[in-house]
Amino acid sequence: MNDPATQRLLEIDRAHIWHPYSAMHSELPVFPVESARGVRLYLADGRELIDGMASWWCAIHGYNHPRLNAALESQLERMAHVMFGGLTHEPAVSLVETLLTIVPEPLQSVFICDSGSVAVEVAMKMALQYWQARGQGGKQRFATLRGGYHGDTLGAMSVCDPVTGMHRLFTSVLAQQHFVERPRSRFGEPCSDEDIAPLAQLFAGHHAEIAALILEPVVQGAGGMYFYSADFLRRARELCDAHGILLIADEIATGFGRSGKLFACEHAPIAPDILCLGKALTGGYLSLAATIATTEVSATIDAGDPGVFMHGPTFMGNPLACAVARASIELLLESPWAARIEAIERQLGEALAPCRDLPQVAEVRVLGAIGVVEMKRPVDMRTISRQFVDAGVWVRPFGRLVYLMPAYVIDAADLDRLCAAVTEVVALQPR
Ligand SMILES: *Cc1c(COP(=O)(O)O)cnc(C)c1O
C-alpha cells in the first residue's frame, strides 16, 4: 500500500502529467520509484524490482554509479552550464576527444546536441546542406527502411516506419520519404540479391532526389526489435557510394556495445558519412546526443552558402552532460564489456529458449545484450505491467514485443530471475 504522500503524488501525476505515448487521463498504472541502484529499482511501496530495461538502452552501468556521480559532482562545482556560442570548455572537448578514439576514422566533426531526435534532425540537415553546397539542391528526400524508428520530432518521424510511426495522423505535415522493405536476411546470414534489390532499384531511379539513406545498422529498435544481415548494411554502403547518396547511421540505440560491438556498423564493417549517438552516451544520467560527420561533409558545408551549419540548441554541449558522458565512456572502455555482453547474450539465449515452446510466442531472438520474445498477439499493457511488477522485475513490453536489455553489469543470478519472470509472465497471457 502507498502512504498518503505517495498517494498524493500519484493523483497529481494522473491529473496533470503526460507519460511517453500515453493519454493524459490514463487508466494504465505508473509506479512511483524512490531510488535506483545497480540493476535495482526501489518503489515507494517498499518493493524492489530487477531492472530489465536499462531505462530504454541507456543505463548500461546500472543506476547510481559512484564514478558517474563523482564526475557530475566535480563538474557541478565548476559550472552546470554555459552557452556554447562563442564559448567552449574542457568537458565538451574531452568528450569529443574520447569519442573520436572509438568511432570510425573518417568521422571527425562533432555536433553535440540534447537528444536523439535532435541528433537525427541535425544529421538530416547536414545531408541537405551538404548537397546544396555541392550544387545539387535537388537532393531533398531521404531513403530509409520500413520498420525503423528515428525519433519523435517531425523530420525524424518522416523516416520512422509509416505504420508503427502512425504517419496517417500526420500525412499532410510529414515530408514524403522513400521507404524500402527491411531485409529478410537475418543477422548472421548473407544478404541475397533479392534482399538488396528494392534499395538498388530505388537508388537507380531516384538518386538525383535522394540526399541520404538513414537506417539503424543491424538492429531496428523501437520499430520492431529486428536484427538483420550485416551484409545488407555492407551492400547498402556500396550502393550509396555508387549513386552519390550519403549514409546516416542512427546508432542512438545500438551505440556503446549493446549489439556486441562497440558500434553496430562494425558488424559489417562499414563507416557511415554521418553517425548519430545518444541514449547510453551519458550512461543514462542526462539527455545528450551527438551527430558526427566526416571531414568531407563538414568541409563541404563550410564551403557552401551561407558557410555555416544552421543549427544551435540552447543547451548545446551542456557541461554536466558532457562530463558524465566522458566518464561513462571511460568506465565502459575500462570494463570487460565485450566479454560481459557475450555472457549476457549466451545466458539470454539459453534462459529465454523455453519461451519458444509456449503457444503465445511467435519467435525468440537474441543479439548482444538484447533478448526479444515476439508474441503472436499484442500484449495487454494494463495486465502485463502489473504481472511483471508482481514478479519482482521491471519489463515494459510494447505491441507484440516483450524484451530485455539489461545493464551490462547485471550478474547471472539477476539475469536468470529476469528471464524466468519473462517466461512465467508470457505463459500467463491469453493465447
Ligand atoms: C530513442 C531513439 C531515437 C530518439 O532519441 P530521443 O532521445 O528519444 O529523442 C532515435 N533513434 C533511435 C534509433 C532511437 O532508439
Side-chain angles (χ1 to χ4, degrees):
M1 249 331 266
N2 286 315
D3 57 37
T6 308
Q7 212 48 51
R8 180 162 180 277
L9 175 154
L10 279 171
E11 277 159 25
I12 297 174
D13 184 289
R14 195 183 308 278
H16 300 289
I17 305 181
W18 259 302
H19 287 264
Y21 289 94
S22 72
M24 172 52 68
H25 302 292
S26 170
E27 294 300 307
L28 295 175
V30 290
F31 300 91
V33 183
E34 241 164 36
S35 65
R37 197 170 332 109
V39 298
R40 293 276 187 302
L41 301 177
Y42 298 93
L43 299 187
D45 64 9
R47 287 188 285 182
E48 63 176 75
L49 306 179
I50 302 175
D51 175 40
M53 306 304 296
S55 284
W56 281 335
W57 316 85
C58 294
I60 54 177
H61 309 294
Y63 300 101
N64 217 335
H65 195 288
R67 281 271 297 275
L68 303 185
N69 292 2
L72 266 178
E73 279 160 16
S74 94
Q75 181 53 42
L76 189 55
E77 283 169 10
R78 271 166 252 150
M79 62 192 169
H81 182 68
V82 291
M83 62 188 280
F84 213 48
L87 300 173
T88 192
H89 43 74
E90 189 271 339
V93 174
S94 33
L95 169 60
V96 166
E97 230 185 337
T98 308
L99 277 173
L100 293 183
T101 63
I102 55 175
V103 299
E105 236 261 344
L107 300 166
Q108 290 290 322
S109 305
V110 186
F111 192 100
I112 314 169
C113 49
D114 23 19
S115 76
S117 302
V118 174
V120 168
E121 298 287 336
V122 164
M124 293 172 80
K125 284 171 74 174
M126 281 177 182
L128 295 174
Q129 276 197 248
Y130 171 83
W131 289 113
Q132 269 168 26
R134 292 199 40 179
Q136 292 187 253
K139 281 163 130 1
Q140 291 186 353
R141 295 207 189 288
F142 292 85
T144 191
L145 305 181
R146 287 187 185 274
Y149 175 78
H150 297 285
D152 290 348
T153 50
L154 287 168
M157 271 180 74
S158 74
V159 287
C160 288
D161 183 79
V163 179
T164 57
M166 295 275 175
H167 279 209
R168 65 183 166 78
L169 297 177
F170 310 97
T171 18
S172 56
V173 181
L174 292 182
Q176 300 296 303
Q177 316 292 17
H178 292 288
F179 289 91
V180 296
E181 289 307 316
R182 66 186 188 186
R184 240 179 277 151
S185 3
R186 300 300 187 99
F187 184 79
E189 296 173 358
C191 168
S192 65
D193 290 343
E194 193 189 330
D195 245 357
I196 200 73
L199 193 66
Q201 276 161 20
L202 172 68
F203 283 7
H206 295 271
H207 61 88
E209 62 181 66
I210 298 176
L213 168 66
I214 177 167
L215 48 70
E216 297 157 278
V218 175
V219 177
Q220 290 188 314
M225 304 298 287
Y226 182 73
F227 312 143
Y228 65 82
S229 163
D231 193 33
F232 173 89
L233 186 60
R234 185 186 59 75
R235 294 185 73 170
R237 171 76 269 185
E238 285 173 4
L239 282 174
C240 284
D241 289 341
H243 291 283
I245 289 171
L246 295 175
L247 178 62
I248 302 173
D250 178 351
E251 294 235 22
I252 291 166
T254 47
F256 305 103
R258 186 55 70 176
S259 73
K261 300 276 189 195
L262 213 41
F263 299 103
C265 281
E266 294 168 25
H267 289 290
I270 56 116
D273 300 289
I274 304 175
L275 173 69
C276 299
L277 301 177
K279 291 205 162 95
L281 175 59
T282 62
Y285 267 59
L286 286 167
S287 184
L288 190 74
T291 307
I292 313 182
T294 59
T295 311
E296 151 78 5
V297 168
S298 61
T300 305
I301 292 172
D302 282 357
D305 173 33
V308 296
F309 177 58
M310 290 299 286
H311 208 96
T314 308
F315 282 93
M316 185 165 180
N318 175 257
L320 281 176
C322 288
V324 75
R326 162 98 195 293
S328 173
I329 299 170
E330 268 179 4
L331 197 55
L332 180 68
L333 298 178
E334 283 168 19
S335 73
W337 61 270
R340 277 182 182 161
I341 291 164
E342 229 181 275
I344 292 173
E345 180 175 47
R346 203 175 319 116
Q347 201 182 339
L348 283 171
E350 284 164 15
L352 293 178
C355 291
R356 287 206 175 90
D357 301 328
L358 298 173
Q360 294 90 341
V361 173
E363 190 178 274
V364 176
R365 46 185 185 265
V366 172
L367 178 64
I370 314 166
V372 182
V373 177
E374 184 167 333
M375 310 284 287
K376 290 178 182 153
R377 298 209 273 150
V379 299
D380 176 53
M381 281 303 279
R382 197 202 309 226
T383 11
I384 205 167
S385 47
R386 285 202 193 283
Q387 287 167 333
F388 276 123
V389 170
D390 289 342
V393 301
W394 181 242
V395 178
R396 190 170 168 83
F398 66 87
R400 293 188 294 118
L401 300 165
V402 179
Y403 60 99
L404 296 175
M405 40 166 109
Y408 306 160
V409 296
I410 195 166
D411 66 27
D414 283 343
L415 188 53
D416 252 337
R417 284 187 55 191
L418 267 178
C419 294
V422 166
T423 314
E424 277 161 34
V425 169
V426 161
L428 293 175
Q429 304 314 302
R431 299 184 180 189

